[in-house]
Amino acid sequence: MTIRQIIFEATQKLEKAGIPSARLDAEVLLAFLLRCDRLAFFKNPENPISKEQRAAFDRLIERRTGGEPVAYITGRKAFWSFALEVNPAVLIPRPDTEVIVEEALAVLRQESWRRPRILDIGTGSGAIALALACEVPGASITATDISEAALQTAQKNAAALNVEPIVFLKGDLFEPVEGRFDLIVSNPPYIGADEYQSLPPGVKNFEPEEALRAGQTGLEFYEKLIYQAHGYLTENGWLLLEIGARQKQEVRAIYEAHQDFYERIDVREDYAGLPRVIKGRRR
């Protein structure tokens, strides 16, 4: 078979399985198998595929038709300006999360701290902490997670990117940290019990539940983070949180319930126009 034929056949299988990005997924998985760029397919669509390559590709397509995310199959996911190792121990980074990195960089430019102390709560693959480490040389960054497997993945990603050392600590929320920070960022679990049950199978059946589900309402982690963070922020330090698209009013109300702690509360939308990041500065 040729590249053109095998992509066409795989696309049909994926479409039949209800995969919305069938053609793209087929191309990405074949590029992963052949260790080439997808552009090579357009340049040489009639290049042959060996029986061994086809058998291996069929196994990849079978995993995808079963709902397994492409990022877990390839073990890689692009984020910010780099690619991260990902596995079922960590949430797959979404493009929406880049908005919290953008907002964090805007705050850092605004405050002009010489060597900012930054804390990333629930780091997962390390996506946010590593993006900030790449963009803010000299920053002192600490990243925490309750999952040992997630921390091991984040440490691998940090080593691969060769950024300035990040301190990785295991523990729940602020439990393992000491001192105060100029900037605290977090993409916490924010899915409530009912919403979790209605998640797409590719998310619910493969991504770690503890990184997605917050509790009954989806607000539980915000309540803890917003209350506790005040004790770990420097004067005029900022707390930035990623939020679900329908949580703007509820999370803002939690900030405002602690107005003795925070000022300049604001919400940033993502590029789809949905509320994505909320921030407040310590009084």
Side-chain angles (χ1 to χ4, degrees):
M1 295 185 73
T2 66
I3 285 175
R4 184 198 305 276
Q5 290 170 325
I6 200 169
I7 289 178
F8 176 78
E9 182 181 276
T11 300
Q12 287 188 314
K13 289 180 181 178
L14 293 172
E15 287 176 343
K16 187 176 181 180
I19 305 298
S21 53
R23 171 74 186 219
L24 174 62
D25 290 359
E27 292 179 357
V28 168
L29 291 173
L30 186 58
F32 166 70
L33 176 68
L34 300 181
R35 299 182 181 182
C36 68
D37 191 278
R38 286 171 54 220
L39 183 60
F41 302 157
F42 301 108
K43 290 182 177 179
N44 306 290
E46 303 306 322
N47 277 4
I49 297 294
S50 70
K51 290 182 179 179
E52 293 77 11
Q53 289 170 330
R54 179 178 179 179
F57 184 61
D58 285 345
R59 290 192 290 272
L60 297 181
I61 294 299
E62 185 176 353
R63 291 171 65 182
R64 185 67 187 113
T65 57
E68 185 174 355
V70 170
Y72 286 159
I73 297 173
T74 64
R76 307 290 289 173
K77 179 64 177 179
F79 182 83
W80 200 247
S81 59
F82 44 79
L84 293 167
E85 176 182 328
V86 294
N87 55 60
V90 299
L91 195 69
I92 298 170
R94 270 69 169 175
D96 293 339
T97 298
E98 294 185 0
V99 175
I100 197 172
V101 177
E102 294 175 359
E103 197 62 21
L105 294 174
V107 165
L108 292 169
R109 287 192 296 269
Q110 168 189 311
E111 298 294 344
S112 300
W113 291 302
R114 288 189 59 190
R115 185 176 169 80
R117 296 195 68 211
I118 300 172
L119 173 62
D120 177 21
I121 296 286
T123 196
S125 64
I128 296 173
L130 289 169
L132 293 175
C134 289
E135 298 295 336
V136 192
S140 174
I141 301 178
T142 300
T144 73
D145 205 286
I146 198 169
S147 165
E148 180 66 37
L151 286 173
Q152 290 176 1
T153 302
Q155 289 171 320
K156 286 182 183 178
N157 284 324
L161 290 173
N162 196 30
V163 295
E164 291 194 32
I166 295 174
V167 176
F168 291 99
L169 300 174
K170 183 178 184 295
D172 186 21
L173 300 179
F174 297 96
E175 178 186 71
V177 302
E178 296 180 354
R180 293 182 181 266
F181 300 85
D182 302 305
L183 177 67
I184 298 175
V185 295
S186 182
N187 177 17
Y190 55 71
I191 305 296
D194 291 341
E195 186 180 358
Y196 183 78
Q197 295 305 319
S198 64
L199 287 175
V203 176
K204 187 172 65 174
N205 295 342
F206 291 93
E207 298 197 57
E209 181 176 352
E210 66 180 9
L212 291 164
R213 183 173 171 176
Q216 191 63 34
T217 68
L219 300 174
E220 286 83 352
F221 277 89
Y222 296 117
E223 292 167 346
K224 295 175 183 178
L225 279 166
I226 292 169
Y227 175 73
Q228 295 178 20
H230 181 263
Y232 292 89
L233 284 168
T234 58
E235 185 177 357
N236 297 329
W238 286 86
L239 172 64
L240 275 65
L241 303 173
E242 181 168 333
I243 60 176
R246 296 187 295 274
Q247 294 176 315
K248 173 182 175 179
Q249 298 302 329
E250 291 91 342
V251 180
R252 188 179 191 109
I254 298 171
Y255 266 99
E256 291 175 347
H258 300 290
Q259 283 190 336
D260 290 345
F261 292 174
Y262 298 100
E263 62 182 358
R264 297 175 63 177
I265 301 163
D266 196 17
V267 175
R268 160 82 185 270
E269 295 180 345
D270 60 25
Y271 291 99
L274 300 173
R276 188 57 57 192
V277 175
I278 189 166
K279 65 181 180 181
R281 189 171 76 166
R282 181 182 183 271
R283 289 185 181 275

